[in-house]
């Protein structure tokens, strides 16, 4: 599968000066625009995490081109955010995106009284760290396995090898 994390940059600071209803409206507009992109490429929205999205390509629907779909989605999400910012007043929203590909446990996880569909594994944790630790505002950073699966479909610049928080082995990162 390919896992995509998209997170708004500095949203806590933006939200601090706004009324809760305004924050909710801002997030709802952002989430609406992003999920339209995800669903258009047959991605699965795993969950919203605060002001971030966890998106999966390749599960539960098998998609041989999950890596390509994930990068297409990231590029389209960036364009959708630019349109969203242009079409409204208020603070400019910026985001970082991290994508990683690999194996994961996919299914319902939780307690007997409450379970939810999700993905688990190193591929998820690494995608999260690519987004939070390496990507800068407006950047899309992908892991080495995603880059390999793309087979040159998108230009990408090597950023080097990084040892991410919680990992012992370094991972190659690329800027799309």
């Amino acid at each position: 599968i390919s896992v995509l994390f998209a997170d708004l940059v500095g949203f806590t600071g933006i939200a601090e000066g706004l009324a809760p209803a305004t924050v909710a409206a801002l997030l709802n507009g952002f989430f609406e625009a992003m999920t339209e992109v995800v669903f258009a490429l047959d991605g699965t929205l795993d969950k919203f995490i605060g002001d971030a999205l966890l998106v999966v390509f390749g599960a539960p629907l098998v998609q041989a081109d999950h890596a390509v779909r994930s990068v297409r989605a990231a590029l389209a999400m960036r364009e959708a955010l630019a349109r969203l910012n242009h079409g409204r007043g208020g603070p400019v929203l910026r985001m970082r995106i991290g994508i990683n590909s690999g194996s994961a446990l996919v299914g319902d996880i939780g307690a007997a009284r409450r379970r939810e569909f999700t993905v688990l594994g190193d591929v998820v944790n690494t995608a999260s760290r690519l987004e939070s630790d390496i990507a800068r505002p407006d950047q899309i950073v992908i892991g080495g396995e995603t880059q390999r699966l793309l087979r040159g479909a998108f230009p990408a610049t090597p950023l080097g090898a990084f040892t991410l928080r919680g990992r012992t082995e370094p991972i190659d990162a690329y800027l799309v």
Side-chain angles (χ1 to χ4, degrees):
I1 66 169
S2 289
V3 176
L4 181 154
F5 273 90
D7 186 29
L8 288 174
V9 176
F11 193 74
T12 301
I14 292 170
E16 180 180 23
L18 301 175
T22 304
V23 173
L26 198 55
L27 279 177
N28 285 341
F30 170 70
F31 288 145
E32 183 68 29
M34 298 306 111
T35 55
E36 287 301 317
V37 169
V38 169
F39 294 157
L41 288 161
D42 296 322
T44 300
L45 174 63
D46 183 307
K47 63 181 59 79
F48 299 122
I49 307 165
D51 60 354
L53 297 91
L54 168 54
V55 177
V56 179
F57 291 89
L61 302 173
V62 175
Q63 298 163 322
D65 62 344
H66 56 84
V68 170
R69 287 174 188 259
S70 67
V71 173
R72 277 191 187 135
L75 292 166
M77 290 167 79
R78 194 163 59 186
E79 291 173 8
L81 184 58
R83 285 192 304 274
L84 183 68
N85 279 324
H86 181 73
R88 63 168 184 74
V92 173
L93 300 178
R94 299 175 75 192
M95 73 178 159
R96 295 181 306 254
I97 297 177
I99 301 172
N100 195 42
S101 302
S103 298
L105 174 67
V106 177
D108 291 329
I109 305 294
R113 290 180 164 231
R114 186 173 188 300
R115 301 175 77 75
E116 64 181 45
F117 173 86
T118 195
V119 292
L120 297 174
D122 181 63
V123 65
V124 180
N125 299 333
T126 301
S128 175
R129 297 291 186 250
L130 288 169
E131 177 273 312
S132 65
D133 296 357
I134 299 174
R136 298 293 165 244
D138 308 318
Q139 288 187 337
I140 300 165
V141 175
I142 62 174
E145 181 62 10
T146 304
Q147 173 65 5
R148 186 187 71 75
L149 292 171
L150 292 176
R151 295 184 179 93
F154 301 94
T157 304
L159 296 174
F162 295 83
T163 302
L164 303 171
R165 279 184 293 135
R167 290 184 51 94
T168 55
E169 295 295 318
I171 182 169
D172 291 327
Y174 298 81
L175 179 64
V176 175

